[in-house]
């Protein structure tokens, strides 16, 4: 960490998957992601902390019904929505999260509230009690498209392994559309890093299944780097992907090298996942083994995204 002002950096994602259906889908997702960048980056220029910017970015993504987090979350096999989210403040190296919480608008706010608690990760019952303690208004995150998606799968006896990453009318009937999560990683003007991740899960999963999004496997940050993951949660957990990348950077590897090595290993093991990352030098890096990564970033001079990134390369980056 440094006391000198640094140029803030920001990268966000809205999930990873197999395809976006046509240019219209790409442009709609790009518009959603850029709106978040355009609101959050000025906060950083005004001096907001990395954690505050992460929380705001996650809230905006959770409130966008296009993505599988907060409003627009997918339904589990019993037709219920259970969401998970976590926040990690890299300067304090403090992790907090909620698992399988229901009937709230913004799970990231619950994760934020646990930053100052001695008990920083709560499961479904604990999360429900926290909602009551905080007097969080009851909210139904269900959307018509997600309900229709679930009803189609119920009629087909849940033959799909997971729900669509993006909630679009034209994607409801498309099989294996992707894996949904949202995430934000920030480097603030004080040189501090933070990461946040939120998800509605895979969709159609067994009741009680736990996502990587409320684990250090899927969301991790310290003074050296921050990472938010997306994809198949079980694959991310088995790779311990976010923590593995951050530890490699902490041990002296560059972020680009750490991402390349981690994604090469993941590919060799047949994993289906993606990640966004920042380090303390301001390097912005992203990676995927899936076909599509729905990510966008702000360098301080310009915005860019990965929506049309295809090919054999496992990682991409903007140099610091």
């Amino acid at each position: 960490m440094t006391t000198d002002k640094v140029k803030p950096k920001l990268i966000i994602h809205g999930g990873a998957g197999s395809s976006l259906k046509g240019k219209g889908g790409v442009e709609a997702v790009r518009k959603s992601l850029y709106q978040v960048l355009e609101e959050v980056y000025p906060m950083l220029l005004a001096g907001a902390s990395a954690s505050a910017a992460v929380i705001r970015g996650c809230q905006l993504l959770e409130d966008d019904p296009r993505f599988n987090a907060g409003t627009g979350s997918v339904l589990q096999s019993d037709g219920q929505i259970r969401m998970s989210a976590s926040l990690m403040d890299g300067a304090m190296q403090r992790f907090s999260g909620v698992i399988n919480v229901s009937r709230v608008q913004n799970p990231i706010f619950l994760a934020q509230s646990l930053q100052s608690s001695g008990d920083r990760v709560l499961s479904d019952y604990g999360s429900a009690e926290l909602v009551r303690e905080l007097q969080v208004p009851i909210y139904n995150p269900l959307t018509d498209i997600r309900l229709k998606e679930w009803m189609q799968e119920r009629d087909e006896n849940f033959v799909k392994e997971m729900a669509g990453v993006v909630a679009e009318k034209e994607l409801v009937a498309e099989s294996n559309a992707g894996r949904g999560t949202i995430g934000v990683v920030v480097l603030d003007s004080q040189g501090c890093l933070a990461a946040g991740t939120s998800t509605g899960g895979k969709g159609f999963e067994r009741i009680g299944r736990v996502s990587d999004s409320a684990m250090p496997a899927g969301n991790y940050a310290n003074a050296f780097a921050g990472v938010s993951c997306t994809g198949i949660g079980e694959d991310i957990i088995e790779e311990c992907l976010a923590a593995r990348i951050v530890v490699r950077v902490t041990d002296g590897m560059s972020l680009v090298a750490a991402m390349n090595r981690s994604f090469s290993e993941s590919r060799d093991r047949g994993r289906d996942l993606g990640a966004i990352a920042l380090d303390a030098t301001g390097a912005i890096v992203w990676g995927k083994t899936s076909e599509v990564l729905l990510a966008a970033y702000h360098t301080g001079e310009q915005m860019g995204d990965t929506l049309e990134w295809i090919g054999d390369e496992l990682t991409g980056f903007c140099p610091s």
Side-chain angles (χ1 to χ4, degrees), residues 11-21 25-30 32-34 61 66-68 146 164-168 171 177-184 230-231 273-276 286-288 290-297 304-309:
I11 186 167
I12 66 176
H13 73 74
S18 60
S19 68
L20 278 174
K21 197 169 185 177
V26 170
E27 291 303 332
V29 171
R30 179 174 286 128
S32 289
L33 294 175
Y34 280 32
L61 290 164
R66 191 179 307 281
F67 301 115
N68 174 22
R146 291 305 191 187
V165 60
V166 173
E168 297 283 8
L171 291 180
R179 285 47 94 181
T181 312
I182 64 92
V184 180
T230 181
L273 41 74
I276 57 173
W286 52 88
K288 64 176 175 65
S290 57
E291 183 179 336
V292 173
L293 176 67
L294 311 183
Y297 53 88
D305 63 70
T306 68
L307 301 185
E308 297 177 272
W309 171 35

Side-chain angles (χ1 to χ4, degrees), residues 39-312:
E39 179 163 338
V40 175
Y41 197 79
M43 292 175 55
L44 292 166
L45 293 179
S49 69
S51 287
V54 163
I55 292 161
R56 180 57 175 158
C58 286
Q59 178 201 359
L60 292 169
L61 290 164
E62 287 176 339
D63 288 344
D64 189 330
R66 191 179 307 281
F67 301 115
N68 174 22
T71 303
S73 289
V74 297
L75 284 67
Q76 293 192 348
S77 58
D78 63 346
Q80 299 299 308
I81 290 174
R82 298 178 180 91
M83 302 166 286
S84 299
S86 66
L87 171 68
M88 187 152 192
D89 185 313
M92 300 178 67
Q93 202 162 335
R94 179 166 293 177
F95 183 96
S96 59
V98 290
I99 296 170
N100 286 339
V101 64
S102 301
R103 302 202 301 168
V104 297
Q105 183 171 358
N106 296 111
I108 193 64
F109 289 163
L110 300 180
Q112 176 192 16
S113 73
L114 292 169
Q115 280 278 300
S116 58
S117 171
D119 303 314
R120 286 195 286 275
V121 182
L122 300 181
S123 67
D124 48 359
Y125 293 114
S127 298
E129 183 61 29
L130 179 63
V131 169
R132 287 191 288 270
E133 289 177 9
L134 297 176
Q135 298 183 328
V136 176
I138 298 301
Y139 178 80
N140 183 6
L142 179 65
T143 63
D144 290 342
I145 291 177
R146 291 305 191 187
L147 178 59
K148 186 179 298 184
E149 187 178 56
W150 181 83
M151 292 177 68
Q152 286 181 351
E153 281 307 300
R154 182 194 62 180
D155 291 343
E156 297 176 13
N157 200 27
F158 299 116
V159 295
K160 284 202 291 188
E161 293 183 356
M162 58 202 69
V165 60
V166 173
E168 297 283 8
K169 292 179 181 178
E170 64 269 23
L171 291 180
V172 171
E174 182 180 337
S175 63
N176 195 28
R179 285 47 94 181
T181 312
I182 64 92
V184 180
V185 185
V186 169
L187 174 71
D188 67 23
S189 61
Q190 300 301 312
C192 299
L193 290 152
T197 307
S198 182
T199 188
K202 290 194 297 187
F204 323 137
E205 65 263 60
R206 182 188 295 268
I207 301 168
R209 180 258 182 184
V210 175
S211 163
D212 68 285
S213 296
M215 299 183 187
N219 189 71
Y220 199 74
N222 66 7
F224 297 92
V227 177
S228 172
C229 299
T230 181
I232 296 179
E234 286 72 12
D235 286 359
I236 294 166
I237 292 166
E238 288 161 2
E239 292 297 314
C240 200
L241 185 63
R244 173 176 289 177
I245 293 166
V246 172
V247 167
R248 282 174 165 164
V249 175
T250 304
D251 287 346
M253 192 176 287
S254 72
L255 181 58
V256 170
M259 290 280 282
N260 277 328
R261 181 170 177 181
S262 299
F263 275 88
S264 293
E265 293 167 346
S266 296
R267 176 193 57 192
D268 292 345
R269 284 188 277 265
R271 308 302 193 188
D272 191 341
L273 41 74
I276 57 173
L278 286 170
D279 71 9
T281 73
I284 304 174
V285 189
W286 52 88
K288 64 176 175 65
T289 60
S290 57
E291 183 179 336
V292 173
L293 176 67
L294 311 183
Y297 53 88
H298 203 307
T299 68
E301 283 83 30
Q302 62 182 7
M303 296 186 293
D305 63 70
T306 68
L307 301 185
E308 297 177 272
W309 171 35
I310 58 175
D312 298 329

